[in-house]
C-alpha cells in the first residue's frame, strides 16, 4: 500500500543516502518528529551504494574527531537497538609511510590522537612485516595502527539509520523527486514533489553530487563537483588472512581492505578526472550508475599496489568499478545554513568519507538546525567558509582534479592549492610579484605570504621542520620592529551599517560598549546565546550611526550571515570588502612615513591609538586608522580600489628613506603572537567564551543593552573556567626544531592537561611560541614552577609559561 505524502511538515530532508537518513534520524530523535525524507529513487541509489565503507575515528581537529567517534559508536548502538546490521568489521586500520615527511605526519597524528582518547599504536618496519606478512616492507619507514577502525556496509548502515528514523517518527518516501524548492520572503516555504506541494519551515539538502546544481536553481552556492573514482575487487584469494586491517599506503595513493575473501583496492590519485564533462551536469536519473572502465588511468596505481602487496600479482580481477564521487574545494564537508535563504541547511560534500562521518554530521546538522548555532569549532566544515565563485564550474571542476588527491596527499603545514588560482587579485598584484612575493589565498584573494630574499625563489618548499621562508620572516619581522613594514590587509572582511538604529543594533550584537563617536574604534566579539564566540572584529564609527565592521578575511560570509541574522529588518548591512584596498604601515618609523606622505597631523596628541579619520595623500582621500594587528605603532589605510595602485607605489617610493619592507602573512601571524593577539578559528571559536580566552576586557555589562550572550556570560562569570588560555615558549629551541603548529598535547609532568592552538617562531625574541588551553584546576600560579611539556611527533619538549606577551617586555611606543 502506497503511503501518502503529507501536505505539510516541519522539516523536509532531501536525499536518501547515508547522510539524509542520518539527518532524518537525528532531527526526529532530538524531538522534531514532524520530519519527512524524500528520495528521488531508492535509498542509497546515488553514491552511497558503491562506497568502500571505511570507518576511521581520528580527524584533523577535535570537532571532526568527535564526529567520527560518535558515528562509530552510533552504528554499534543502533545495531542493538533496531536489530539491523551495519556490517561493521573493525579489524583496525594501518597507515604506512615510505618518505620521511609522511612518517613525521603519521607520528604527529598519533600524538594528537592522545587528546581525543583514540587508540593509536606506532609500528616500526619490522613489526609491520611480522604482523602483516602480505605487505612488502621495502622502503617503509613505519606506520600507525588504529585498532578500533575498520569498515562498514554502506547499504546496511543506510537502512539501519532509515529504520531508526522511522522508529523515531520520521516518514521516508522513495520515488519522490523534489522538483522545486519553494521560498517566501527569503526563507524556506516548502517543496514540490511529484507535482504536490509540501509546506515546511526547514529543508536539509543531503543530495550528494547533485547538490551544486540543485542549489543553483534556488540561487544557492554549493561548491562541489563529482570526479571519477576507481577501485577493483579481486577474485577470491587463497590463504588471505580473514582478520586484516584496512591498509592505507598514502605515498602510493592506495588503500586495500579485505572483502569476503577478496581484496578491494582503491585509489585517491593526485590528478583526478572530472565526471560528466560533456554536460557538466549529473543526470537526474543517474541511479546505481557506473562509468566505463578506464584501465589506462588505473594501471600505474595497480602496479604500485602489486609491488606493495605481492599477493595481488596472481589475483584475478572480478570487478573494475568506476563511478562518481563529489569533492569540495578544500576536501572538507559542507554543513550548516546557507547565507542566501533562511532555514535552508546543507549536509553534503563528504569527500569519500560519508560512511565514516555520516552519523556525526547528521547529529551536528540536527543540533545546528534546532538550536540556530553550534557550540563547536567546526568552521572548516561550515559552508559559509566559501564565496559564490567557489561553485562556478570553471573554478570547481578544475579544483577537484587536485582535491580528490588531497585525501591521500601530504598534508603539509601551510600548503597552498595550485589549481583555480588568481581569481581575486589586488590592483598592485604585479608590483607585489616583482617584489618577489610568494602568494597564498586568503578570503579568495591572492595575498603575499612572504617575500623572497637574495636569490631565493618565492616558492614553498614544504616541510615539518625548518621552513624555507624563515629567513624572509626573520628579515620582515625584525625590520618592522626596527623600521617600518608594509602589509597587504585588503582581504580583511569589511561591512558597513548605516541608519537611525545602527548604534543600538551594534550594542545588541557586540559585547563591548560600541562608541557612537566619529573616528572611535572598538575591538569586540559577537556571541551566540550560549556565550560562544561567533565573531572577532573591530567596529569603527565613520559618522554618527554609520559604522564600518572589520573582521577576518576567511570569515567574510560567516560573519556577514551572523550579523544579518540578528539585524532588524529596517537596517541593511553592506559588504564593501571589494571596494577598498587596505595597506598596513607598522613599526616605529610608520609615523615618520605617514608625515612624509600626508600633510595631516599624526602626532600622538592628535591621532591617538584606536582612533581614525580621513586624511589626504597626494590629494586622494583615504580613511586612516591607528590600529595594528602586530602591536603599536601602526596605521591601516583604507583606499578606494581605483587609487590603490598609485598609493602603493607612492608608499614604496617614499618609504625607502625609512627602510620600508614588504611583509607577508607569516610575519603578521608571528608578530600578532608576539603581541599576544588571538586569531578566530585557531585560538577562539564558538567552543570558547571570553573568560576562557582572557577577553573579558571586551565585555561591558554597564551598557544599557541586553547584548546576545549576556545572560550566559553572567552565569559563566561566577563559575571557575573549564579551561583557560596560556602562552608558552619552548626551552632551548631553534627555528623548526620542532615545528609548532596546533593540537599538540600540553603535559604537566606525565599528564595531558590541554592542547595548543597556534605556533610560530619569533626571531625578534628567539623563542618558539605556542598558545593553547589548559584544563580547569591548572592555574598559572600553581604550575608556573612545575615541569610542563609540549609533545610533538611523540617527543616531549620542556616549555616555559609566559606570564605576559613577549612584546610587553619592551616599552610600548607612543
Amino acid at each position: 500500500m502506497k503511503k501518502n505524502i503529507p501536505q505539510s511538515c516541519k522539516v523536509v530532508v532531501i536525499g536518501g543516502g547515508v547522510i539524509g537518513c542520518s539527518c532524518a534520524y537525528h532531527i526526529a530523535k532530538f524531538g522534531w518528529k514532524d520530519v519527512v525524507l524524500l528520495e528521488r529513487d531508492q535509498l542509497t541509489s546515488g553514491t552511497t551504494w558503491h562506497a568502500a565503507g571505511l570507518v576511521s575515528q581520528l580527524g584533523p581537529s577535535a570537532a571532526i574527531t568527535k564526529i567520527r567517534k560518535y558515528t562509530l559508536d552510533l552504528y554499534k548502538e543502533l545495531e542493538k537497538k533496531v536489530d539491523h546490521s551495519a556490517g561493521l568489521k573493525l579489524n583496525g586500520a594501518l597507515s604506512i609511510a615510505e618518505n620521511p615527511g609522511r612518517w613525521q605526519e603519521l607520528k604527529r597524528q598519533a600524538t594528537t590522537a592522545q587528546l581525543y582518547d583514540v587508540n593509536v599504536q606506532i609500528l616500526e618496519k619490522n613489526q609491520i612485516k611480522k604482523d602483516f606478512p602480505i605487505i612488502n616492507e621495502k622502503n617503509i619507514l613505519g606506520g600507525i595502527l588504529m585498532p578500533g577502525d575498520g569498515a562498514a556496509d554502506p547499504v546496511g548502515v543506510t537502512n539501519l539509520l532509515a529504520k531508526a528514523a522511522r522508529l523515531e517518527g520520521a516518514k521516508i518516501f522513495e520515488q519522490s523527486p523534489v522538483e522545486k524548492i519553494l521560498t517566501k520572503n527569503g526563507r524556506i516555504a516548502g517543496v514540490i514533489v511529484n507535482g504536490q506541494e509540501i509546506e515546511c519551515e526547514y529543508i536539509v539538502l543531503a543530495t550528494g553530487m547533485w547538490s551544486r546544481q540543485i542549489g543553483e536553481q534556488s540561487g544557492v552556492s554549493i561548491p562541489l563537483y563529482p570526479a571519477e573514482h576507481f577501485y577493483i575487487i579481486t577474485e577470491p584469494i587463497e590463504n588471505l588472512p580473514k582478520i586484516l586491517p584496512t591498509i592505507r599506503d598514502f605515498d602510493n595513493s592506495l588503500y586495500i581492505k579485505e572483502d569476503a575473501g577478496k581484496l578491494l583496492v582503491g585509489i585517491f590519485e593526485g590528478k583526478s578526472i572530472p565526471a560528466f564533462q560533456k554536460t557538466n551536469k549529473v543526470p537526474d536519473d543517474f541511479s546505481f550508475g557506473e562509468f566505463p572502465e578506464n584501465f589506462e588511468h588505473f594501471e600505474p596505481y595497480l602496479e604500485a599496489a602489486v609491488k606493495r602487496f605481492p599477493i595481488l600479482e596472481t589475483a584475478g580481477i572480478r570487478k573494475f568499478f568506476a563511478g562518481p564521487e563529489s569533492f569540495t574545494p578544500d576536501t572538507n564537508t559542507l554543513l550548516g545554513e546557507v547565507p542566501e535563504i533562511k532555514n535552508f541547511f546543507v549536509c553534503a560534500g563528504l569527500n569519500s568519507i560519508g560512511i565514516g562521518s555520516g552519523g556525526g554530521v547528521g547529529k551536528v546538522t540536527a543540533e545546528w538546525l534546532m538550536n540556530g548555532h553550534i557550540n563547536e569549532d567546526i568552521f572548516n566544515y561550515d559552508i559559509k567558509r566559501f564565496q559564490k565563485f567557489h561553485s562556478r564550474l570553471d573554478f570547481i571542476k578544475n579544483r577537484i582534479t587536485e582535491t580528490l588527491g588531497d585525501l591521500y596527499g601530504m598534508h603539509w603545514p601551510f600548503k597552498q592549492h595550485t589549481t583555480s588560482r588568481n581569481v581575486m587579485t589586488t590592483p598592485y598584484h604585479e608590483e607585489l610579484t616583482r617584489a618577489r612575493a610568494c602568494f597564498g589565498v586568503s578570503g579568495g584573494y591572492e595575498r603575499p605570504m612572504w617575500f623572497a630574499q637574495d636569490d631565493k625563489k618565492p616558492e614553498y618548499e614544504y616541510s615539518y621542520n625548518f621552513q624555507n621562508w624563515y629567513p624572509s620572516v626573520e628579515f620582515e619581522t625584525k625590520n618592522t620592529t626596527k623600521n617600518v613594514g608594509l602589509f597587504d590587509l585588503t582581504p580583511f572582511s569589511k561591512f558597513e551599517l548605516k541608519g537611525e538604529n545602527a548604534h543600538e543594533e551594534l550594542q545588541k550584537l557586540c559585547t563591548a560598549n560600541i562608541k557612537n563617536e566619529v573616528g572611535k574604534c572598538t575591538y569586540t566579539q559577537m556571541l551566540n546565546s550560549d556565550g560562544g564566540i561567533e565573531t572577532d572584529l573591530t567596529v569603527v564609527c565613520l559618522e554618527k550611526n554609520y559604522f564600518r565592521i572589520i573582521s577576518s578575511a576567511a570569515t567574510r560570509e560567516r560573519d556577514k550571515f551572523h550579523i544579518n541574522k540578528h539585524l532588524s529588518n529596517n537596517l541593511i548591512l553592506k559588504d564593501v570588502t571589494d571596494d577598498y584596498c587596505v595597506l598596513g604601515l607598522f613599526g616605529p618609523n610608520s609615523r615618520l612615513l605617514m608625515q612624509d606622505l600626508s600633510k595631516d597631523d599624526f602626532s600622538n596628541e592628535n591621532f591617538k591609538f584606536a582612533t581614525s579619520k580621513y586624511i589626504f595623500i597626494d590629494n586622494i582621500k583615504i580613511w586612516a586608522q591607528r590600529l595594528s594587528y602586530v602591536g603599536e605603532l601602526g596605521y591601516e589605510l583604507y583606499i578606494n580600489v581605483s587609487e590603490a595602485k598609485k598609493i602603493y607605489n607612492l608608499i614604496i617610493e617614499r618609504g625607502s628613506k625609512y627602510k620600508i619592507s614588504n611583509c607577508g602573512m607569516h610575519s603578521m601571524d608571528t608578530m600578532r603572537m608576539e603581541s599576544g593577539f588571538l586569531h578566530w578559528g585557531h585560538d577562539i571559536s564558538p567552543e570558547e567564551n571570553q573568560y576562557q580566552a582572557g577577553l573579558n576586557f571586551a565585555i561591558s555589562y554597564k551598557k544599557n543593552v541586553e547584548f546576545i550572550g549576556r545572560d550566559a556570560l553572567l552565569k559563566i562569570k561566577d563559575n571557575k573556567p573549564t579551561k583557560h588560555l596560556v602562552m608558552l615558549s619552548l626551552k632551548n629551541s631553534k627555528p623548526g626544531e620542532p615545528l609548532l603548529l596546533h593540537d599538540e598535547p600540553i603535559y604537566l609532568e606525565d599528564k595531558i592537561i590541554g592542547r595548543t592552538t597556534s605556533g610560530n617562531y619569533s626571531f625578534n625574541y628567539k623563542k618558539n611560541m605556542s598558545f593553547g588551553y589548559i584544563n580547569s584546576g591548572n592555574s598559572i600560579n600553581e604550575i608556573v614552577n612545575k615541569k610542563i611539556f609540549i609533545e610533538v611527533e611523540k617527543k616531549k619538549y620542556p616549555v616555559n609559561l609566559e606570564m605576559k606577551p613577549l612584546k610587553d617586555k619592551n616599552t610600548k611606543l607612543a
Side-chain angles (χ1 to χ4, degrees):
M1 179 178 166
K2 189 173 181 180
K3 295 183 292 184
N4 292 324
I5 296 178
Q7 294 183 337
S8 66
C9 64
K10 183 125 181 134
V11 187
V12 168
V13 177
I14 307 173
V18 64
I19 305 304
C21 290
S22 177
C23 290
Y25 164 72
H26 284 95
I27 293 167
K29 177 181 170 60
F30 294 162
W32 287 8
K33 304 296 182 183
D34 193 11
V35 54
V36 169
L37 184 149
L38 302 173
E39 162 55 39
R40 67 187 173 84
D41 193 348
Q42 298 176 44
L43 298 184
T44 78
S45 62
T47 55
T48 296
W49 72 273
H50 64 67
L54 304 186
V55 176
S56 180
Q57 300 169 84
L58 186 61
S61 72
I64 295 171
T65 299
K66 286 178 191 174
I67 282 171
R68 295 184 182 180
K69 287 187 71 177
Y70 172 84
T71 297
L72 185 54
D73 291 340
L74 176 70
Y75 296 164
K76 293 175 182 175
E77 176 191 327
L78 289 183
E79 278 189 322
K80 299 172 185 174
K81 185 177 177 181
V82 304
D83 192 26
H84 189 96
S85 174
L88 290 173
K89 292 183 70 175
L90 304 180
N91 294 338
L94 172 67
S95 298
I96 57 177
E98 68 173 44
N99 71 63
R102 180 75 69 181
W103 187 216
Q104 286 182 277
E105 182 176 292
L106 292 183
K107 285 189 284 188
R108 282 177 177 261
Q109 288 179 10
T111 305
T112 300
Q114 298 167 122
L115 292 168
Y116 314 126
D117 197 28
V118 176
N119 182 12
V120 177
Q121 301 168 11
I122 292 181
L123 302 183
E124 301 299 330
K125 178 177 181 175
N126 294 339
Q127 189 66 42
I128 291 172
K129 182 62 179 176
K130 179 183 174 185
D131 292 349
F132 311 106
I134 71 164
I135 297 177
N136 174 5
E137 79 279 18
K138 186 180 180 182
N139 300 331
I140 291 178
L141 297 176
I144 60 172
L145 178 69
M146 288 165 274
D149 290 2
D153 169 32
V155 175
V157 166
T158 306
N159 286 313
L160 172 75
L161 289 164
K163 189 173 180 181
R166 291 187 182 102
L167 289 172
E168 292 290 348
K171 298 179 179 68
I172 297 176
F173 298 90
E174 296 179 292
Q175 305 299 327
S176 301
V178 171
E179 296 154 14
K180 190 176 182 180
I181 295 168
L182 304 175
T183 62
K184 186 178 181 180
N185 299 325
R187 66 171 59 234
I188 288 297
V191 298
I192 296 177
V193 55
N194 289 334
Q196 176 189 330
E197 183 175 330
I198 306 176
E199 292 181 2
C200 65
E201 296 179 42
Y202 299 83
I203 68 163
V204 178
L205 193 70
T207 49
M209 62 181 172
W210 284 271
S211 299
R212 192 194 68 84
Q213 60 205 50
I214 292 173
E216 193 173 44
Q217 293 168 9
S218 298
V220 172
S221 175
I222 303 175
L224 55 73
Y225 193 85
E228 296 185 13
H229 185 44
F230 306 92
Y231 61 73
I232 62 165
I233 301 175
T234 68
E235 296 286 354
I237 296 175
E238 230 179 292
N239 301 321
L240 183 69
K242 289 187 178 180
I243 301 178
L244 188 69
T246 299
I247 303 173
R248 295 181 177 92
D249 182 356
F250 291 117
D251 295 320
N252 289 299
S253 307
L254 301 167
Y255 68 90
I256 73 160
K257 70 163 190 165
E258 188 271 336
D259 188 80
K262 306 177 285 293
L263 284 177
L264 183 151
V265 183
I267 63 170
F268 287 100
E269 67 274 32
K271 186 171 178 57
S272 68
I273 304 169
F276 308 108
Q277 295 203 58
K278 289 184 179 179
T279 61
N280 294 323
K281 183 181 178 184
V282 183
D284 292 338
D285 60 353
F286 193 83
S287 297
F288 301 106
E290 298 184 44
F291 298 142
E293 293 181 3
N294 187 343
F295 199 77
E296 183 180 353
H297 183 82
F298 191 83
E299 190 172 22
Y301 303 97
L302 181 58
E303 289 175 359
V306 170
K307 287 179 183 176
R308 181 62 71 210
F309 307 103
I311 198 170
L312 292 169
E313 197 164 3
T314 56
I317 297 176
R318 171 170 287 192
K319 170 73 176 175
F320 186 109
F321 173 80
E325 181 75 37
S326 65
F327 291 84
T328 63
D330 60 1
T331 331
N332 280 325
T333 299
L334 305 175
L335 299 183
E337 190 173 2
V338 303
E340 298 92 344
I341 300 172
K342 289 182 180 178
N343 296 349
F344 186 133
F345 282 76
V346 171
C347 189
L350 272 291
N351 303 283
S352 281
I353 55 169
I355 306 305
S357 298
V361 295
K363 174 180 180 285
V364 167
T365 300
E367 291 172 339
W368 207 331
L369 183 148
M370 297 168 81
N371 298 329
H373 62 267
I374 197 83
N375 289 327
E376 292 186 63
D377 179 10
I378 207 160
F379 179 63
N380 55 352
Y381 270 18
D382 191 337
I383 192 169
K384 293 178 286 296
R385 69 188 183 275
F386 292 118
Q387 298 175 44
K388 284 278 189 186
F389 73 84
H390 286 107
S391 63
R392 284 194 331 234
L393 271 172
D394 60 339
F395 181 94
I396 191 64
K397 277 186 68 178
N398 189 26
R399 174 56 62 83
I400 62 111
T401 64
E402 181 179 7
T403 54
L404 179 146
D406 282 346
L407 277 179
Y408 278 23
M410 282 295 302
H411 302 101
W412 292 115
F414 319 109
K415 185 178 179 182
Q416 299 290 327
H417 285 111
T418 59
T419 53
S420 299
R421 292 292 298 268
N422 296 307
V423 175
M424 298 166 70
T425 58
T426 60
Y428 39 85
H429 182 77
E430 289 182 8
E431 281 76 6
L432 295 173
T433 302
R434 283 196 293 272
R436 305 177 68 233
C438 177
F439 291 96
V441 178
S442 177
Y445 279 91
E446 296 290 328
R447 189 177 190 181
M449 302 302 292
W450 50 280
F451 290 81
Q453 300 293 310
D454 304 323
D455 58 347
K456 306 296 183 185
K457 286 184 178 180
E459 296 174 2
Y460 278 101
E461 295 171 10
Y462 294 120
S463 168
Y464 275 107
N465 300 108
F466 186 93
Q467 300 296 301
N468 73 307
W469 41 264
Y470 273 169
S472 294
V473 168
E474 180 172 13
F475 169 74
E476 292 170 19
T477 56
K478 286 183 175 179
N479 191 66
T480 299
T481 302
K482 293 177 183 177
N483 300 302
V484 59
L486 175 59
F487 293 79
D488 185 11
L489 312 178
T490 299
F492 277 6
S493 301
K494 303 175 278 289
F495 315 111
E496 290 184 0
L497 190 66
K498 188 176 186 179
E500 189 178 341
N501 299 325
H503 180 250
E504 183 183 334
E505 293 283 305
L506 283 171
Q507 290 284 63
K508 181 184 73 175
L509 277 160
C510 301
T511 61
N513 186 23
I514 306 301
K515 300 169 185 69
N516 196 12
E517 185 181 337
V518 177
K520 291 298 177 71
C521 308
T522 310
Y523 173 64
T524 185
Q525 286 78 45
M526 295 180 182
L527 312 179
N528 58 44
S529 57
D530 296 320
I533 301 172
E534 291 286 341
T535 68
D536 181 63
L537 45 92
T538 299
V539 178
V540 181
C541 183
L542 303 177
E543 297 173 10
K544 196 171 179 69
N545 277 316
Y546 181 17
F547 300 89
R548 183 174 292 150
I549 301 165
I550 304 150
S551 65
S552 167
T555 57
R556 179 177 178 178
E557 292 300 325
R558 189 185 187 281
D559 291 351
K560 183 164 53 176
F561 174 85
H562 179 80
I563 297 167
N564 275 322
K565 183 178 178 180
H566 297 286
L567 273 186
S568 300
N569 293 331
N570 62 339
L571 282 173
I572 296 174
L573 185 75
K574 185 181 179 184
D575 187 338
V576 296
T577 302
D578 301 330
D579 296 347
Y580 299 98
C581 288
V582 186
L583 296 173
L585 291 172
F586 304 144
N589 286 349
S590 59
R591 180 179 285 136
L592 294 173
L593 176 54
M594 292 298 294
Q595 289 170 342
D596 197 324
L597 290 164
S598 172
K599 294 178 181 178
D600 289 271
D601 188 348
F602 294 93
S603 66
N604 190 54
E605 294 74 22
N606 289 291
F607 204 160
K608 296 183 183 297
F609 175 73
T611 64
S612 51
K613 62 183 180 181
Y614 280 112
I615 64 168
F616 286 88
I617 297 178
D618 203 27
N619 293 319
I620 296 169
K621 191 178 182 182
I622 292 168
W623 183 262
Q625 300 177 172
R626 188 175 156 189
L627 293 171
S628 169
Y629 194 39
V630 306
E632 278 268 70
L633 174 73
Y635 302 87
E636 297 175 355
L637 305 181
Y638 285 72
I639 311 156
N640 284 320
V641 168
S642 59
E643 307 285 0
K645 184 174 180 178
K646 181 179 180 180
I647 296 298
Y648 172 85
N649 285 325
L650 188 61
I651 289 171
I652 291 294
E653 178 192 330
R654 298 275 181 90
S656 60
K657 69 177 82 169
Y658 304 103
K659 298 184 178 179
I660 196 169
S661 61
N662 278 298
C663 300
M665 282 292 295
H666 288 309
S667 293
M668 176 175 279
D669 196 50
T670 299
M671 296 182 76
R672 68 97 184 166
M673 287 189 69
E674 291 174 346
S675 297
F677 298 154
L678 307 185
H679 184 269
W680 195 96
H682 284 96
D683 310 307
I684 49 176
S685 75
E687 279 193 25
E688 286 78 39
N689 61 62
Q690 290 160 294
Y691 288 101
Q692 293 169 332
L695 294 171
N696 44 305
F697 65 86
I699 304 170
S700 173
Y701 294 115
K702 293 180 181 179
K703 62 179 182 176
N704 190 28
V705 176
E706 293 287 326
F707 62 84
I708 297 166
R710 185 178 186 272
D711 290 344
L713 282 187
L714 285 170
K715 293 175 184 174
I716 292 166
K717 179 175 179 283
D718 295 331
N719 295 315
K720 196 172 183 179
T722 54
K723 61 181 181 180
H724 56 93
L725 186 85
V726 291
M727 292 176 283
L728 308 168
S729 64
L730 297 194
K731 295 180 179 178
N732 309 316
S733 64
K734 297 178 181 178
E737 297 180 15
L739 180 67
L740 292 180
L741 297 168
H742 50 79
D743 290 309
E744 296 113 352
I746 301 171
Y747 282 81
L748 174 60
E749 306 289 351
D750 59 353
K751 181 184 176 184
I752 293 176
I753 60 167
R755 68 178 179 91
T756 64
T757 56
S758 290
N760 266 312
Y761 186 83
S762 167
F763 291 94
N764 283 322
Y765 299 97
K766 292 184 168 53
K767 288 195 174 187
N768 222 335
M769 305 178 290
S770 182
F771 289 174
Y773 285 92
I774 60 175
N775 304 330
S776 174
N778 297 289
S779 72
I780 292 177
N781 292 332
E782 291 173 2
I783 65 173
V784 66
N785 294 317
K786 295 184 179 178
K787 292 182 179 178
I788 306 169
F789 306 89
I790 291 176
E791 187 176 21
V792 182
E793 294 174 28
K794 300 300 290 182
K795 181 180 177 182
K796 293 187 180 73
Y797 295 84
V799 301
N800 293 312
L801 270 170
E802 298 290 345
M803 306 306 283
K804 295 189 296 185
L806 299 181
K807 190 165 184 175
D808 274 2
K809 294 179 179 177
N810 289 350
T811 304
K812 282 193 175 181
L813 296 162

